Amino acid sequence: MYTAHILLPLASTTPPNWFMNSIAFWGFVMIGFMAIGGFFMFRKFMKVLPMKDGKSKLDWQNYWVEKSRPLWTDDTREFLQLLVDPVPQAFRDIAKHTIAAKIGQVAVESGATEVTRDHCIEGYIKATPRRDYSFLVKNLKRHQIDYSRFEHLLK
């Protein structure tokens, strides 16, 4: 009788509630992580799909970076680095490439012989979503850079 009382909980056929709750919790956490990862993978997939002209967004970015490569100076490369410094380290290289492509497009389409700081500011504004403009303005103010010529793009 004494041993039956001790072994009775071990003979139970259902796991304890805390164990089942922890499995359910981690199941939801894993589904959440997979959803977040899937969202970013889908965004990347959409950039690779060709547009109406037959080139994808990434193809156009690479085109403008290569076309404008001889126009970049050491000063403008450093200025681009200064502009992308607020971007988190994990996303900085991708953001830098995307922004450099738009800056290159702005410079080439304007017929410039070299990329200037004005091209960098205009390209940065055009390459980033509106929600990031406040970070750009704070960064430019902190480094005392005049951006008044581009206020119309920020509105």
Side-chain angles (χ1 to χ4, degrees):
M1 180 167 147
Y2 181 69
T3 57
H5 179 66
I6 293 173
L7 295 176
L8 186 59
L10 296 177
S12 176
T13 58
T14 60
N17 281 342
W18 66 268
F19 183 72
M20 294 306 291
N21 290 341
S22 67
I23 287 178
F25 170 75
W26 284 111
F28 285 120
V29 169
M30 293 304 293
I31 289 171
F33 283 151
M34 287 191 311
I36 292 168
F39 170 74
F40 285 107
M41 287 176 64
F42 183 72
R43 280 184 43 185
K44 186 71 170 179
F45 173 72
M46 292 302 288
K47 280 187 170 184
V48 176
L49 287 177
M51 295 187 290
K52 290 180 182 177
D53 60 3
K55 287 188 173 186
S56 69
K57 221 175 194 183
L58 290 177
D59 291 337
W60 278 112
Q61 286 179 2
N62 291 334
Y63 170 79
W64 288 114
V65 166
E66 290 303 317
K67 183 128 174 132
S68 67
R69 192 174 298 275
L71 304 179
W72 286 86
T73 63
D74 291 337
D75 178 53
T76 52
R77 283 189 185 100
E78 289 173 16
F79 189 65
L80 175 61
Q81 184 62 41
L82 178 107
L83 291 176
V84 297
D85 273 345
V87 177
Q89 183 67 36
F91 307 110
R92 194 171 296 158
D93 288 338
I94 295 168
K96 190 175 181 181
H97 185 266
T98 303
I99 294 166
K102 186 55 84 172
I103 292 169
Q105 180 182 0
V106 168
V108 169
E109 287 179 348
S110 71
T113 57
E114 69 177 27
V115 175
T116 64
R117 285 181 173 228
D118 287 345
H119 292 132
C120 290
I121 295 171
E122 182 179 351
Y124 188 96
I125 292 170
K126 289 182 176 181
T128 55
R130 287 196 181 278
R131 67 178 180 267
D132 293 342
Y133 289 170
S134 61
F135 297 114
L136 171 66
V137 170
K138 285 180 194 174
N139 196 20
L140 292 173
K141 284 181 180 177
R142 185 175 64 218
H143 293 288
Q144 299 164 348
I145 297 169
D146 181 31
Y147 63 93
S148 59
R149 294 181 50 204
F150 306 101
E151 296 240 3
H152 66 283
L153 295 174
L154 293 170
K155 295 190 187 312

